[in-house]
């Protein structure tokens, strides 16, 4: 549409001045006017195209379901209803006091991510909720040590399309406030250097079992890696990736000074605390 207007304007101006002798400055003025009109029309068309693409890429929601923006803006301790896709399952268990069957999930849609903590879920349902499964979740928005999550939730499976998120490179956002905008998303970090820590005996090591080195094989792994002179802490959460997984074994093999790439979920605990699912040592 915009291109047609621009071409019509160009043709009209050309015809208006053809057959007459124009001064050089008049010709230049006309040329400038035509160029400006065409450029403006093209710019408007590009803006319209970008806007339409953004609308098409936005996640469509069922009636009564929040968009990610609405969820993000919701007050803590209020009820939220979201549609999202399972990306990973952290764990399932039965509460010994209440007898409630529950599970924790990393989930994401095309606009943002939702960490769902202790959602009511039978063991059979837990097995059904494979990565990519779309679910409608009703619960309460909560925060714990900076981690925004959905608690006391129930769910239903939504039939239809599946979705697996691609890792977003947030390497350059480390140490910035903007990193918070990607909380709970599947992300990647590239080109970091493994830094030394001290174990309980004072030895320099590349990782610790538990944050303070008090654990043993099978517990969470903590390791430090630096970028541009700043050091950050990463975790292999044992409920998510136990000691039989590739990432657990890869971290146990790390050496101080290794350059590594990582993928994982951007969990938060008093600051960024990525739950790493993949570690690759650069060759």
């Amino acid at each position: 549409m915009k291109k047609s207007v621009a071409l019509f304007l160009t043709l009209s101006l050309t015809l208006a001045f053809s057959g007459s002798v124009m001064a050089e400055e008049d010709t230049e003025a006309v040329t400038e006017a035509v160029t400006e009109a065409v450029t403006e029309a093209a710019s408007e068309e590009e803006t319209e195209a970008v806007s339409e693409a953004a609308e098409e890429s936005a996640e469509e929601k069922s009636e009564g379901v929040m968009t990610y923006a609405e969820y993000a803006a919701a007050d803590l301790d209020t009820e939220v209803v979201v549609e999202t896709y399972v990306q990973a399952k952290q764990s399932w268990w039965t509460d010994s006091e209440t007898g409630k069957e529950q599970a924790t999930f990393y989930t994401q849609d095309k606009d943002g991510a939702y960490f769902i903590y202790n959602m009511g879920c039978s063991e059979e349902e837990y097995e059904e909720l494979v990565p990519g499964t779309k679910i409608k979740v009703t619960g309460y928005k909560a925060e714990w040590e900076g981690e925004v999550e959905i608690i006391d939730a129930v769910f239903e499976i939504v039939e239809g399309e599946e979705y697996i998120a691609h890792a977003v490179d947030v390497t350059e956002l480390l140490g910035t406030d903007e990193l918070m905008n990607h909380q709970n998303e599947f992300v990647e970090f590239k080109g970091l250097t493994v830094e030394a820590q001290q174990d309980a005996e004072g030895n320099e090591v590349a990782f610790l079992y538990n944050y303070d080195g008090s654990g043993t094989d099978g517990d969470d792994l903590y390791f430090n890696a630096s970028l541009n002179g700043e050091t950050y802490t990463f975790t292999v959460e044992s409920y998510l990736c136990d000691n039989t997984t590739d990432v657990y074994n890869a971290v146990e093999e790390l050496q101080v000074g290794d350059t590594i790439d990582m993928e994982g979920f951007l969990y938060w605990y008093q600051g960024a605390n990525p739950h790493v699912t993949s570690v690759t040592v650069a060759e």
Side-chain angles (χ1 to χ4, degrees):
M1 179 66 179
K2 300 298 182 182
K3 286 182 179 177
S4 298
V5 172
L7 290 172
F8 176 76
L9 178 59
T10 303
L11 180 60
S12 298
L13 287 169
T14 301
L15 290 173
F17 287 97
S18 64
S20 63
V21 178
M22 296 179 289
E24 187 175 341
E25 64 246 21
D26 291 335
T27 305
E28 292 177 354
V30 172
T31 302
E32 289 177 3
V34 172
T35 302
E36 182 178 347
V38 173
T39 301
E40 181 179 350
S43 178
E44 289 178 4
E45 185 178 57
E46 289 172 0
T47 300
E48 184 178 310
V50 170
S51 177
E52 289 175 355
E55 289 177 4
E56 290 175 0
S57 66
E59 183 79 8
E60 293 185 9
K61 302 296 182 181
S62 304
E63 184 177 354
V65 175
M66 293 174 159
T67 63
Y68 180 77
E70 290 170 334
Y71 165 78
D75 292 333
L76 293 175
D77 302 320
T78 59
E79 185 177 75
V80 293
V81 182
V82 303
E83 284 178 345
T84 182
Y85 300 82
V86 174
Q87 302 300 306
K89 302 188 287 188
Q90 189 188 78
S91 55
W92 175 91
W93 67 95
T94 300
D95 188 292
S96 59
E97 295 183 2
T98 65
K100 176 186 175 182
E101 296 179 305
Q102 54 199 5
T104 295
F105 299 87
Y106 301 80
T107 75
Q108 191 167 337
D109 64 19
K110 295 172 185 176
D111 301 314
Y114 315 80
F115 185 69
I116 304 174
Y117 182 71
N118 284 3
M119 179 171 70
C121 180
S122 70
E123 189 170 12
E124 292 75 17
E125 290 171 327
Y126 185 71
E127 295 303 319
E128 283 186 66
L129 295 179
V130 297
T133 305
K134 187 175 185 178
I135 55 177
K136 178 180 178 180
V137 178
T138 301
Y140 291 86
K141 185 177 178 181
E143 181 180 350
W144 183 72
E145 299 292 354
E147 168 65 20
V148 178
E149 56 195 14
I150 298 176
I151 64 171
D152 298 331
V154 295
F155 79 97
E156 58 185 88
I157 293 177
V158 179
E159 298 297 335
E161 64 176 319
E162 298 181 350
Y163 173 68
I164 298 293
H166 295 291
V168 176
D169 189 345
V170 295
T171 308
E172 297 305 318
L173 299 183
L174 280 167
T176 72
D177 292 339
E178 191 178 346
L179 187 63
M180 173 72 84
N181 297 334
H182 296 276
Q183 186 177 124
N184 295 320
E185 289 182 18
F186 187 53
V187 298
E188 63 182 0
F189 306 91
K190 294 183 176 180
L192 277 70
T193 303
V194 177
E195 298 292 341
Q197 300 184 79
Q198 285 193 339
D199 64 14
E201 286 73 41
N203 302 311
E204 286 197 347
V205 294
F207 71 92
L208 296 172
Y209 293 110
N210 288 340
Y211 73 95
D212 58 357
S214 62
T216 57
D217 183 34
D219 290 321
D220 295 348
L221 299 180
Y222 284 78
F223 62 101
N224 290 342
S226 64
L227 180 73
N228 299 328
E230 298 294 331
T231 299
Y232 308 94
T233 298
F234 298 85
T235 303
V236 177
E237 217 282 340
S238 58
Y239 285 131
L240 175 64
C241 298
D242 64 22
N243 61 353
T244 67
T245 59
D246 290 342
V247 64
Y248 199 101
N249 296 323
V251 171
E252 288 184 311
E253 296 296 323
L254 288 179
Q255 302 294 318
V256 174
D258 282 347
T259 298
I260 57 174
D261 297 335
M262 294 173 281
E263 292 181 343
F265 296 97
L266 190 55
Y267 187 78
W268 217 259
Y269 178 77
Q270 298 178 0
N273 179 214
H275 286 177
V276 178
T277 60
S278 172
V279 171
T280 304
V281 178
E283 296 182 0

